[in-house]
Amino acid sequence: MGTALASPLYPLYQARWGLLPSHITGIYVAYMFGALASLLFLGRMSDRFGFLPVLRAGLALVTAGVLLSAAAWSVASFVVSRVLIGIASGMITTSASMGLTQLNRNSHNMLRASAMTSFAMALGFGLGPLVGGLIAQWVPEPLVTAYVPSLVLGVVAIYALFQVQVAASIRAPAPFSLRHWLPHITLPHATLRRPFFIACFGAFSTFGIFGLYASLAPSFMQEMVPWHGPAVSGLSIAMILFLSAGFQWLARPLHTKTCAVWGLGLLAVCNLLLVATTYSHWPVLFVLSVLTTAAGHGLVNLAGIAIVNKVAGPDNRAGLLSTYLVVGYIGTIAPILALGWLSNLLGLTVAIVVFCLAMAALTAALGWLAHKTPVITTA
């Protein structure tokens, strides 16, 4: 919830500090750099020390980051808060996913754990911009008050986790070793790498497409649709994630391959719809693009987490999940930075068109590869 809460607030920061669109994308990407560093350097901590201590530390760090965001007095202080939240996000995602998997050890429960991981991530990400947008629209001092709900929930969660005890047989403590802290990319067995790579680049696509909405939705929506304000942009971002969570819940019985192929196809369509919206300015097309983005986002994320859990073993699960998320976060960093640079050079509309056409081509190609990869179903 704390990670995406700032998205509908960016226009307010932009007005307060006189920022360009490229500055906003830079602030958004600062969070991603923090998350990427966390996954690269800390991604295997749960394998070595157990998921519960890492989860507690991550929650404490994200709560501190949210508190600093509320108190931010300059661009630099706000960037530091976003980096802290990013580091915590990487720790929480890997440790919570590993914990759910360890506590649900048979194959049926592991698939349920995969669905719950992806569902909870989408739900939490969606609550952030929804709450932030609503508060920013109607409550005084929105750049402070918008963070209060997430801050309170963070304190409650920290307290709750320190009341939890996990059986010793589930813990995975290990002695300190420098190599555990060095950047490391984990890969599955060679025969399982093709579906794993499809999952990783599917994450690259979904993170990148959602990054467009999360970083620049308040800016481009002013040109595309007649509805404006933090509540509108926050609701659009939240709807993508809430609907994504709903699609994931409904799609749990489907085969992993079916989710991957259909999800990637829908992501290609949503990008083409967004291109059409930039030229037509029809609100109906924008709504359709949001709906297809949500469906594609949900199905691809569900398939990706499922593939990672299927190709992973007990000794490399956290490492493979970290690698999967690293590729996903790179998908937010590189395309969104390029989008910010293009918007300064060619204008926001042209930059969005170039971004969407490139993403449509990538997701269509990945969908075709997923269709041609039968091992996804049984990997």
Side-chain angles (χ1 to χ4, degrees):
M1 184 174 173
T3 56
L5 192 150
S7 292
L9 306 179
Y10 286 142
L12 303 181
Y13 286 111
Q14 194 170 2
R16 170 180 283 189
W17 293 322
L19 305 177
L20 297 172
S22 59
H23 296 147
I24 295 299
T25 56
I27 292 172
Y28 179 78
V29 165
Y31 155 78
M32 295 299 170
F33 273 119
L36 187 62
S38 175
L39 293 167
L40 285 171
F41 289 93
L42 309 177
R44 293 179 291 166
M45 285 180 63
S46 296
D47 282 333
R48 315 307 304 178
F49 307 114
F51 71 88
L52 194 56
V54 178
L55 189 55
R56 289 168 176 162
L59 271 170
L61 189 59
V62 77
T63 304
V66 170
L67 180 61
L68 182 57
S69 295
W73 59 91
S74 65
V75 175
S77 62
F78 187 56
V79 167
V80 170
S81 74
R82 298 302 296 165
V83 172
L84 289 178
I85 291 172
I87 293 171
S89 176
M91 295 170 65
I92 291 169
T93 302
T94 53
S95 59
S97 176
M98 184 173 176
L100 283 171
T101 302
Q102 288 184 0
L103 295 169
N104 295 273
R105 291 186 170 187
N106 65 56
S107 59
H108 173 72
N109 285 338
M110 284 179 61
L111 289 175
R112 187 173 62 181
S114 300
M116 180 57 70
T117 300
S118 189
F119 176 81
M121 288 170 63
L123 186 64
F125 271 113
L127 280 173
L130 177 62
V131 172
L134 291 175
I135 291 177
Q137 188 81 36
W138 290 293
V139 178
E141 297 296 329
L143 298 185
V144 176
T145 54
Y147 295 99
V148 171
S150 182
L151 190 61
V152 171
L153 288 175
V155 172
V156 171
I158 292 169
Y159 172 79
L161 269 186
F162 274 96
Q163 309 310 307
V164 171
Q165 299 297 324
V166 177
S169 61
I170 298 178
R171 292 177 183 165
F176 174 81
S177 174
L178 181 61
R179 70 182 182 86
H180 297 149
W181 301 88
L182 296 177
H184 181 76
I185 296 296
T186 304
L187 295 175
H189 188 272
T191 59
L192 299 174
R193 288 183 184 177
R194 181 167 172 175
F196 181 70
F197 288 151
I198 291 173
C200 288
F201 284 101
F204 179 98
S205 303
T206 56
F207 279 50
I209 293 166
F210 177 73
L212 170 65
Y213 285 92
S215 62
L216 289 178
S219 299
F220 70 70
M221 282 181 68
Q222 293 181 8
E223 302 178 12
M224 287 186 181
V225 295
W227 315 304
H228 305 136
V232 175
S233 58
L235 182 61
S236 68
I237 298 167
M239 286 307 297
I240 291 174
L241 292 164
F242 288 151
L243 290 171
S244 171
F247 279 116
Q248 290 177 49
W249 197 255
L250 292 173
R252 287 176 303 153
L254 297 179
H255 288 298
T256 302
K257 181 175 181 178
T258 303
C259 290
V261 172
W262 277 94
L264 290 164
L266 286 168
L267 288 182
V269 171
C270 81
N271 279 281
L272 297 178
L273 285 170
L274 200 54
V275 170
T277 307
T278 61
Y279 291 112
S280 67
H281 300 282
W282 289 355
V284 172
L285 284 179
F286 181 75
V287 171
L288 285 175
S289 72
V290 169
L291 291 174
T292 52
T293 299
H297 183 278
L299 293 175
V300 172
N301 281 338
L302 179 62
I305 295 291
I307 290 171
V308 170
N309 277 331
K310 288 178 180 179
V311 302
D315 59 331
N316 67 351
R317 190 174 306 280
L320 287 178
L321 181 62
S322 293
T323 300
Y324 168 81
L325 292 171
V326 162
V327 178
Y329 281 119
I330 291 174
T332 297
I333 293 171
I336 298 303
L337 283 178
L339 178 63
W341 177 78
L342 279 176
S343 67
N344 287 346
L345 186 66
L346 304 174
L348 186 58
T349 300
V350 175
I352 289 173
V353 169
V354 172
F355 174 92
C356 290
L357 290 177
M359 282 295 183
L362 174 61
T363 50
L366 286 172
W368 181 83
L369 282 175
H371 176 67
K372 295 293 183 181
T373 307
V375 74
I376 288 179
T377 306
T378 58

